[in-house]
Amino acid sequence: MQQLVRRLSLSLPILGSMFLLSSCATLSKQECLIGDWQAIGYNDGVSGYQSDRLASHAKACAKASVTPDYQAWERGRQLGLKQYCMTDNAYNLGRRGRELNNVCPAAITSTLQQANQKGLDQYNLEQQLENDQRLLKEYREEFDKLKSGEMLGFDNEKEARRRLLSLADDLRQTRHRINTAQTQLDLLEQMNSYGFN
């Protein structure tokens, strides 16, 4: 039994390392062997990958002795980039908190970055609103407990009362931030509903 435990303890780090290395590969062995390089390129383009992505695929496929077809992959990537480099996509990336990759034609980059920034602004406001709502809930719970006489780890009643008074200010400020963020978010959603989503 001890020998089995010792073998497992020695082999687990090796297995873990193998798993980590295989999870870093951009393509599976099966994908390399099928070799639909135009489809792989299209997916990379839709995801906004740079052309150096092919080097990662080449490295992943070297284990299967497969060499990528650069021309088919680049043809597919260019088709995918047409989808990636659209205003709605740039905005939606921002709404998910992601910045636009620098892979689009220079002539439309400025427009796409503006759309992406509008999405990022909305995302950041939503995150702020979520955090402040969570904070408000915590403040309310603490306020209610202190108001009902719980000491919550304070050394004496005077400290607990001081915290209760400061919590009233914290609650007021947090509510104000929530109202401001909600108003800004409503305005952004209204403005952005005319062209992005």
Side-chain angles (χ1 to χ4, degrees):
M1 182 64 168
Q2 277 184 327
Q3 194 173 20
L4 177 63
V5 171
R6 189 176 310 140
R7 276 191 206 158
L8 282 175
S9 66
L10 291 173
S11 62
L12 283 177
I14 295 168
L15 289 172
S17 298
M18 287 170 51
F19 175 75
L20 283 174
L21 287 173
S22 67
S23 68
C24 294
T26 58
L27 296 173
S28 68
K29 182 178 179 180
Q30 188 66 27
E31 289 169 315
C32 292
L33 292 171
I34 291 171
D36 187 349
W37 290 104
Q38 186 161 334
I40 293 167
Y42 178 82
N43 289 332
D44 288 343
V46 167
S47 299
Y49 282 109
Q50 302 273 357
S51 57
D52 62 358
R53 175 79 168 172
L54 189 62
S56 300
H57 292 331
K59 187 175 178 183
C61 291
K63 296 172 190 168
S65 300
V66 173
T67 303
D69 179 344
Y70 172 77
Q71 290 177 340
W73 178 83
E74 185 58 26
R75 224 179 6 257
R77 189 177 82 92
Q78 289 303 319
L79 290 171
L81 285 175
K82 288 180 182 175
Q83 299 297 312
Y84 182 81
C85 298
M86 294 180 72
T87 311
D88 286 350
N89 185 56
Y91 171 74
N92 288 326
L93 283 169
R95 291 280 287 117
R96 293 192 305 269
R98 295 176 54 206
E99 290 187 12
L100 188 70
N101 292 337
N102 188 21
V103 292
C104 300
I108 60 172
T109 297
S110 177
T111 303
L112 293 174
Q113 286 175 340
Q114 288 172 10
N116 184 245
Q117 188 58 55
K118 286 180 181 180
L120 285 167
D121 291 346
Q122 196 164 341
Y123 173 82
N124 290 331
L125 270 173
E126 287 171 348
Q127 295 301 304
Q128 178 190 332
L129 189 60
E130 228 175 80
N131 290 338
D132 281 340
Q133 287 170 336
R134 190 171 29 256
L135 191 59
L136 183 66
K137 183 181 178 204
E138 290 171 13
Y139 284 161
R140 278 187 186 143
E141 288 172 0
E142 187 180 358
F143 184 85
D144 291 342
K145 287 176 182 176
L146 286 169
K147 196 171 178 184
S148 69
E150 286 186 48
M151 290 298 286
L152 298 180
F154 289 102
D155 292 334
N156 55 52
E157 199 174 312
K158 186 177 178 180
E159 285 181 13
R161 221 173 315 135
R162 189 179 303 128
R163 176 63 180 150
L164 184 64
L165 291 172
S166 74
L167 268 174
D169 285 339
D170 291 341
L171 282 164
R172 198 169 22 259
Q173 289 170 5
T174 307
R175 281 191 199 103
H176 176 71
R177 280 197 315 270
I178 287 172
N179 290 336
T180 302
Q182 187 62 61
T183 301
Q184 290 174 335
L185 196 53
D186 292 344
L187 284 171
L188 269 178
E189 285 175 353
Q190 191 176 18
M191 287 169 34
N192 294 339
S193 68
Y194 294 111
F196 308 112
N197 46 9

